[in-house]
Amino acid sequence: MPLVTLRQLLDAAEAGGYAVGAFNANNMEIVQAIVETAEELESPVIIQASQGAIKYAGLDMITAMVHAVAGQAKVPVALHLDHGTDFNTVIACIRRGFTSVMFDGSRYDKEENIARTREIVKIAHAAGVSVEGEIGKIGGVEDDIVVDEREALLTPVEDAIEFYRATGVDALAMAFGTAHGHYKLPPKLAFDRIEAVHRETGAYLVMHGGSGVPDEDVKKAIQLGVRKINVDTELREAFVGALRQALQEKPGEIDPRKLLGPAREAVKAKLREKMTLFGSVGQAR
Ligand code: G3H
Ligand code: 13P
Ligand code: ZN
């Protein structure tokens, strides 16, 4: 089926009370792993490319790969730009056939973030493309931070509500305690903020830094209104771990397919785990 928008996937997730996994793809093997696993499990899925992934693989290559693999898929797939910070990149993705874009204006103050995000929403929606916005800053893992400081980094509920209403985004990323990368200590999630924003606005919340969040916390966040969960680090670990093992076990192997094949399989195993946890299995329609 043709690619679908983020809005279509998250409307269904809201109705069904589950979350859709948004998995970062940097190469062909990961794109294939995502679509093959989604098909095996009859799960909707989001393939996302960061600006770094686009720089590495090329925008035309990423778009062509996803359209080639996902365009034939029997499950709904969205192609999403992850953390687009640059207006021109966002527009280029819309023009090339992404069905969703994230505009990450978190480095600007609230008013400027709202103004810039609104502009993107206007353009993207006119082109039939969904938009994710970010209010507050979801950083990297900062385990040295003391509790008061950690609290100060969370997005105030009023800011999240104001941003959501003023911009018209389809999905909302806010800082509620997760961070990108590998946690040294389990994160402490502000479930009260997730619940308050979802209850007040109905916004579809996005969990960034989904790798390493304990399963029980993920399930609770979904119950409270998280509808999109981003996972990158755990896929990287699975891919590179299996690749390292293959290199060690077959030191004389010079066929890349014999080394990258097991890496693709390891990513698929991790994806099965995540899609099952998120409750999206069997929800493709
Ligand atoms: O949130 C960031 C994602 O993990 C993408 O990382 O910019 O290194 O591709 P990247
Ligand atoms: P992790 O790498 O921590 O899974 O975070 C991914 C993410 O949030 C991408 O936007
Ligand atoms: Zn992120």
Side-chain angles (χ1 to χ4, degrees):
M1 62 173 76
L3 295 181
V4 300
T5 64
L6 184 68
R7 166 62 72 172
Q8 285 170 281
L9 292 186
L10 300 192
D11 278 344
E14 174 73 10
Y18 59 91
V20 184
F23 302 108
N24 286 72
N26 295 308
N27 62 18
M28 181 190 79
E29 283 76 11
I30 299 177
V31 170
Q32 290 173 321
I34 296 169
V35 176
E36 284 172 22
T37 310
E39 287 201 295
E40 282 165 22
L41 299 183
E42 298 183 8
S43 171
V45 78
I46 299 154
I47 300 179
Q48 56 186 14
S50 67
Q51 289 178 164
I54 290 169
K55 199 164 164 212
Y56 174 75
L59 182 55
D60 285 335
M61 179 60 85
I62 296 245
T63 314
M65 274 192 306
V66 174
H67 278 261
V69 182
Q72 310 298 322
K74 292 185 275 299
V75 296
V77 180
L79 173 57
H80 176 79
L81 169 66
D82 186 32
H83 291 284
T85 53
D86 167 53
F87 181 84
N88 290 335
T89 304
V90 172
I91 299 303
C93 288
I94 293 171
R95 288 173 59 97
R96 290 301 208 293
F98 277 52
T99 55
S100 179
V101 289
M102 175 181 188
F103 176 66
D104 177 352
S106 59
R107 68 192 149 130
Y108 302 110
D109 64 30
K110 188 176 65 185
E111 282 64 38
E112 189 168 357
N113 187 1
I114 288 175
R116 287 177 183 257
T117 306
R118 270 169 74 115
E119 184 67 14
I120 298 282
V121 168
K122 210 165 108 191
I123 298 167
H125 282 181
V129 170
S130 304
V131 180
E132 174 184 339
E134 176 170 332
I135 177 74
K137 197 151 186 52
I138 304 153
V141 278
E142 288 148 310
D143 293 319
D144 305 337
I145 290 172
V146 294
V147 177
D148 281 1
E149 287 174 346
R150 196 189 290 276
E151 190 73 7
L153 291 176
L154 300 176
T155 307
V157 168
E158 318 75 68
D159 286 4
I161 293 171
E162 182 190 349
F163 178 87
Y164 180 74
R165 292 194 172 135
T167 57
V169 290
D170 301 280
L172 180 66
M174 60 181 276
F176 53 70
T178 56
H180 295 109
H182 196 85
Y183 298 101
K184 286 186 219 135
L185 295 170
K188 235 175 118 4
L189 269 58
F191 293 110
D192 52 337
R193 298 190 191 217
I194 298 173
E195 202 265 335
V197 175
H198 186 254
R199 180 173 27 83
E200 191 64 31
T201 62
Y204 303 154
L205 293 170
V206 182
M207 179 187 285
H208 282 253
S211 296
V213 178
D215 288 2
E216 288 317 306
D217 288 357
V218 169
K219 285 185 194 159
K220 191 166 170 189
I222 294 171
Q223 269 169 19
L224 296 174
V226 165
R227 296 285 166 252
K228 171 176 182 276
I229 303 185
N230 292 4
V231 178
D232 187 6
T233 298
E234 283 194 61
L235 300 186
R236 293 180 182 199
E237 286 170 347
F239 187 94
V240 176
L243 180 58
R244 264 201 196 101
Q245 195 183 331
L247 286 165
Q248 270 163 13
E249 285 172 0
K250 305 175 209 166
E253 183 58 69
I254 56 125
D255 183 343
R257 295 167 297 188
K258 304 247 164 63
L259 300 167
L260 294 170
R264 181 169 59 197
E265 286 309 309
V267 172
K268 287 181 72 175
K270 180 54 71 181
L271 290 164
R272 273 183 219 112
E273 208 182 279
K274 294 297 174 189
M275 289 180 197
T276 305
L277 174 64
F278 300 163
S280 64
V281 171
Q283 299 287 353
R285 63 192 95 128

